[in-house]
Amino acid sequence: MIIQDPEFGEVIVRRNPLAKGVSFSVSPSGRLQMCLRQQTNEFILKRILNKNRDLIRAKVPLSDPKTQRARDAKKKLLAKKAKEYLPYRLEYYAKLYGYDYEKCRLSHAATRWGSCSSNRTISLNIGLMQVPEILRDYVILHELAHLNHMDHSTAFWAEVGSHDPKYKEHRRKLKMFSPGV
């Protein structure tokens, strides 16, 4: 559940039947998050929020609600661009080098550019749309190589290098960016 607050913007409400009281934290999106008992109604939620404003301001490092909205808009735009680009680029390289994957999934993980699961699903971060194309291609080739090597062994890196001879340079440059949106 989400409630609107004039000071904190959107407040995420998580209900937990085992909660003994109320706790406040920051959600991954930078919003205020409240965790409390299952049966608490919206009127009581707002009363608890008003009663704890000073505590929240002092103890919970929140983003400005305007920053939250800007981040949401940016994420939405990146997701749209990623949906139009990344699956097709993945398919292009898969066909070019003879890889067979099950499906492509887009994510917005805070710490990973991509991943490859044992069921052959390749996940690509929408944040890739913020890096140069050569680095996007490196991540795609890296994840495709995981279809044959589910580790970072010498054989894995040899396979990545056979498709991207400058992979070490690309890997180093990619570290200058953050996958989080």
Side-chain angles (χ1 to χ4, degrees):
M1 172 180 186
I2 294 179
I3 60 172
Q4 273 307 125
D5 182 77
E7 180 180 357
F8 301 124
E10 291 180 345
V11 178
I12 299 168
V13 179
R14 302 235 183 255
R15 298 177 187 275
N16 181 345
L18 303 176
K20 296 200 185 322
V22 179
S23 65
F24 297 98
S25 61
V26 180
S27 74
S29 65
R31 290 171 172 75
L32 177 62
Q33 185 170 270
M34 296 173 66
C35 183
L36 41 94
R37 276 186 238 102
Q38 205 87 21
Q39 64 274 15
T40 312
N41 67 35
E42 191 169 336
F43 175 77
I44 301 294
L45 288 174
K46 289 182 177 181
R47 219 164 102 191
I48 292 169
L49 191 60
N50 285 329
K51 185 180 173 189
N52 289 285
R53 283 186 187 282
D54 291 337
L55 172 75
I56 294 166
R57 281 187 214 108
K59 302 282 183 185
V60 184
L62 291 171
S63 302
D64 179 357
K66 291 177 194 137
T67 306
Q68 295 169 2
R69 285 190 292 279
R71 182 179 179 271
D72 290 346
K74 182 179 181 181
K75 193 161 79 172
K76 192 174 185 178
L77 179 64
L78 285 175
K80 184 177 187 273
K81 286 181 177 180
K83 187 176 182 181
E84 293 169 355
Y85 179 86
L86 293 174
Y88 301 101
R89 196 67 173 172
L90 176 65
E91 185 179 347
Y92 167 79
Y93 278 117
K95 285 182 180 175
L96 182 67
Y97 294 118
Y99 288 102
D100 183 36
Y101 61 95
E102 193 60 36
K103 68 180 180 179
C104 175
R105 191 177 78 78
L106 299 178
S107 75
H108 54 271
T111 59
R112 291 177 179 239
W113 289 110
S115 65
C116 178
S117 70
S118 58
N119 66 358
R120 305 182 77 73
T121 296
I122 293 182
S123 297
L124 298 171
N125 192 316
I126 63 173
L128 284 168
M129 300 311 295
Q130 301 180 103
V131 303
E133 185 175 33
I134 192 77
L135 301 181
R136 281 182 232 155
D137 289 347
Y138 158 72
V139 171
I140 290 169
L141 293 168
H142 179 111
E143 298 311 330
L144 286 169
H146 276 308
L147 292 169
N148 294 333
H149 308 278
M150 292 301 284
D151 55 18
H152 289 108
S153 63
T154 306
F156 166 81
W157 288 113
E159 188 166 331
V160 172
S162 71
H163 305 313
D164 180 4
K166 294 184 174 183
Y167 79 89
K168 288 180 183 177
E169 177 187 337
H170 297 151
R171 187 173 181 218
R172 184 179 45 76
K173 285 183 178 177
L174 191 62
K175 288 179 182 181
M176 296 187 313
F177 298 92
S178 171
V181 178

